[in-house]
């Protein structure tokens, strides 16, 4: 009889397999195992935004609770990439609540790469003024459809949430999200033409 050393590391299941298992069973332990693989990266991203270790630790827990509720509503193909987006959005929304109108510079794209092991392309609207000429943005904003322009203005420049914009413009939240996504895409195309 051959003894297997107790210290041998068991083979980890791939992310996609764990994700599928969680979506099927809804066992919190399965999601916990998957999230644990990237907790240090989530903490690093939060620390880049908040610059406070305690606040970043709290955010790691809040983000876990958020993905536990949200993951069923999305078609997640790559858990790590999706988690990065959720983390970034969580931090931005938190900062937007606390510091209205203030531009927050987080880090360079190279630093993002160190945390997430892939380059994270910031959307042009998310860039700080020194990275993007203000006149170019204004000209591109003028080219947007009226509803897209209103949504982008309220979301990025007036720091309103989807729900608040929905109330102000009297339209469904889905429409607000759609207008913001389309506007961001159109702005990106326009700003790239102006380079």
């Amino acid at each position: 009889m051959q003894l297997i050393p107790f210290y041998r590391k068991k083979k980890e299941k791939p992310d996609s397999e764990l994700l599928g298992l969680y979506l099927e069973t809804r066992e919190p332990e399965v999601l916990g195992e998957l999230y644990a693989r990237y907790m240090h990266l989530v903490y690093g991203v939060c620390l880049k935004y908040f610059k406070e270790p305690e606040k970043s630790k709290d955010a790691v827990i809040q983000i876990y609770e958020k993905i536990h509720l949200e993951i069923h509503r999305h078609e997640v193909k790559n858990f790590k990439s999706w988690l990065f987006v959720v983390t970034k959005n969580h931090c931005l929304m938190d900062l937007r609540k606390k510091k209205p109108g203030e531009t927050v510079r987080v880090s360079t794209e190279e630093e993002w790469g160190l945390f997430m092991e892939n380059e994270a392309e910031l959307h042009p609207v998310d860039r700080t003024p020194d990275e993007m000429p203000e006149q170019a943005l204004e000209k591109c904003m003028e080219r947007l459809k009226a509803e897209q322009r209103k949504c982008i203005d309220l979301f990025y420049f007036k720091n309103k949430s989807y729900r608040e914009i929905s109330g102000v413009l009297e339209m469904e939240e889905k429409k607000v999200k759609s207008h913001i996504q389309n506007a961001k895409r159109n702005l990106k195309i326009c700003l790239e033409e102006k380079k």
Side-chain angles (χ1 to χ4, degrees), residues 7-107:
Y7 54 83
R8 182 179 290 171
K9 189 178 176 182
K10 72 174 187 176
K11 192 173 183 215
E12 286 187 340
K13 292 179 181 175
D15 287 1
S16 57
E17 194 177 320
L18 276 180
L19 180 59
L21 183 62
Y22 174 70
L23 292 173
E24 188 180 303
T25 64
R26 307 223 176 187
E27 289 289 330
E29 296 81 21
V30 177
L31 184 62
E33 183 182 339
L34 185 56
Y35 187 68
R37 293 177 181 182
Y38 302 108
M39 266 176 38
H40 64 290
L41 300 176
V42 170
Y43 174 74
V45 171
C46 292
L47 193 58
K48 280 289 171 188
Y49 275 100
F50 299 135
K51 313 278 193 249
E52 299 172 33
E54 288 308 311
K55 185 172 178 61
S56 300
K57 287 177 192 171
D58 290 344
V60 169
I61 295 164
Q62 291 163 358
I63 290 165
Y64 174 75
E65 291 167 356
K66 181 179 277 192
I67 66 165
H68 181 71
L69 297 172
E70 295 281 323
I71 201 164
H72 305 289
R73 299 179 194 157
H74 300 273
E75 192 177 322
V76 180
K77 292 196 178 0
N78 182 322
F79 180 77
K80 184 179 176 183
S81 299
W82 179 75
L83 180 60
F84 170 73
V85 171
V86 171
T87 302
K88 179 183 168 219
N89 288 344
H90 174 86
C91 295
L92 286 172
M93 290 306 286
D94 187 272
L95 289 170
R96 201 173 275 135
K97 279 190 299 192
K98 303 273 190 308
K99 303 172 182 175
E102 184 178 317
T103 301
V104 180
R105 181 173 177 102
V106 179
S107 65

Side-chain angles (χ1 to χ4, degrees), residues 145-168:
K145 291 179 182 173
E147 288 179 327
Q148 290 179 2
R149 188 170 49 249
K150 287 176 192 170
C151 288
I152 281 284
D153 182 60
L154 289 167
F155 187 73
Y156 281 100
F157 302 106
K158 305 283 191 312
N159 303 310
K160 301 285 185 197
S161 68
Y162 290 140
R163 183 167 291 148
E164 290 170 321
I165 297 169
S166 174
V168 170

